[in-house]
Amino acid sequence: MGTLISFENVGKIYRTGDIEYEALHDVNLTIDEGEMVVILGPSGAGKSTLLNMLGGLDAATSGKIMFGDKEITSLNDKQLGVFRSQDVGIIFQFYNLIPTLNALENVALISELGIDIMDPKEALALVGLEEKWKNFPSQMSGGQQQRVSIARAIAKRPRLLLCDEPTGALDTNTGKEVINLLQKQSKEEKRTVVIVTHNDLFAEMADKVINVKNGTVFSIATNENPKSVDEVEW
């Protein structure tokens, strides 16, 4: 596996008038193609800022970010928009589905980015919802809604799948189903999956664990034998 993402001395400062807030500093890391990576850390540690920079949602104040052979830190707003639409799929804690659209239409919506996507029914089949394509969000459980959001994210075949607390609004059993789906995306589809969470259990299932503390990467550990969802004591 080659390196997909690298951060070199990356920092992020937010400015409001005369007030500055350093959200990240001196971040160095690499993420390989097809890896399932978990970013762990307490609230306020810088996890969300790191996620935003991985997905080109936020610009670095300093340092260099590479995505394959592309330097993200040198892209303008338009180029960043193209990068996000083509290469990055994002899954949020709260599913961000349109309530007036059914499951199929919520997935198909991603085509409005002007990109080639897989058949929406095929994407729903990959997350086990091929029979629910006519259902509206109000007719689905939280776990099913999250699976629709995963189908929407993978429909554009992104190289990077970013997940922000993807099981935060789900019960344990449903959360396990979602993590199992994400692990399959990494293992079977060879897609790079990055999960931001405060749940230490996820570390046992990851190829790589990045610990964030006080606005920087505190440690990086590699799992030689990541566990499957069923092997973890929940």
Side-chain angles (χ1 to χ4, degrees):
M1 290 188 298
T3 298
L4 179 64
I5 302 163
S6 66
F7 277 46
E8 295 178 23
N9 300 316
V10 171
K12 177 64 182 178
I13 295 172
Y14 293 103
R15 294 183 176 90
T16 306
D18 295 332
I19 300 170
E20 289 190 353
Y21 168 66
E22 187 178 54
L24 285 179
H25 63 92
D26 305 314
V27 173
N28 291 281
L29 60 85
T30 60
I31 294 173
D32 290 340
E33 291 266 14
E35 273 191 321
M36 180 162 154
V37 177
V38 166
I39 298 176
L40 282 175
S43 295
K47 300 191 304 295
S48 292
T49 303
L50 182 52
L51 180 93
N52 288 342
M53 301 229 277
L54 281 165
L57 296 164
D58 217 342
T61 308
S62 58
K64 185 165 89 169
I65 301 172
M66 296 294 296
F67 187 96
D69 57 1
K70 192 181 300 180
E71 186 182 344
I72 302 305
T73 33
S74 68
L75 301 182
N76 60 34
D77 287 346
K78 184 177 180 181
Q79 291 168 327
L80 274 175
V82 172
F83 161 68
R84 288 193 299 267
S85 67
Q86 293 181 345
D87 293 310
V88 184
I90 303 178
I91 298 159
F92 300 96
Q93 178 176 350
F94 300 105
Y95 330 116
N96 288 2
L97 301 181
I98 308 246
T100 54
L101 300 181
N102 64 27
L104 187 76
E105 292 164 337
N106 264 288
V107 175
L109 195 64
I110 206 79
S111 66
E112 292 190 8
L113 292 170
I115 55 174
D116 180 41
I117 68 168
M118 70 169 68
D119 183 291
K121 276 192 177 179
E122 181 187 341
L124 285 170
L126 287 172
V127 299
L129 288 179
E130 59 269 45
E131 303 297 323
K132 301 283 187 182
W133 68 270
K134 290 184 179 179
N135 286 34
F136 290 89
S138 61
Q139 298 170 312
M140 292 184 283
S141 67
Q144 288 171 337
Q145 290 183 66
Q146 187 61 296
R147 281 192 272 163
V148 173
S149 77
I150 293 172
R152 182 179 57 193
I154 64 177
K156 60 180 178 176
R157 305 180 186 90
R159 294 176 71 187
L160 174 64
L161 199 54
L162 291 178
C163 313
D164 190 5
E165 297 281 6
T167 64
L170 304 174
D171 61 66
T172 299
N173 286 335
T174 311
K176 286 166 72 172
E177 290 175 11
V178 167
I179 293 301
N180 190 41
L181 276 173
L182 295 174
Q183 200 169 44
K184 280 186 176 179
Q185 283 295 308
S186 169
K187 300 294 175 250
E188 296 176 13
E189 304 297 327
K190 307 304 180 189
R191 185 165 283 124
T192 304
V193 177
V194 177
I195 302 172
V196 167
T197 183
H198 63 274
N199 191 334
D200 292 347
L201 284 178
F202 290 6
E204 300 179 50
M205 296 174 276
D207 297 302
K208 183 177 287 177
V209 181
I210 299 172
N211 280 287
V212 180
K213 185 178 179 182
N214 298 328
T216 196
V217 171
F218 179 68
S219 67
I220 298 177
T222 301
N223 272 343
E224 294 301 326
N225 297 296
K227 293 181 178 179
S228 69
V229 171
D230 294 332
E231 292 174 309
V232 174
E233 292 288 333
W234 293 74

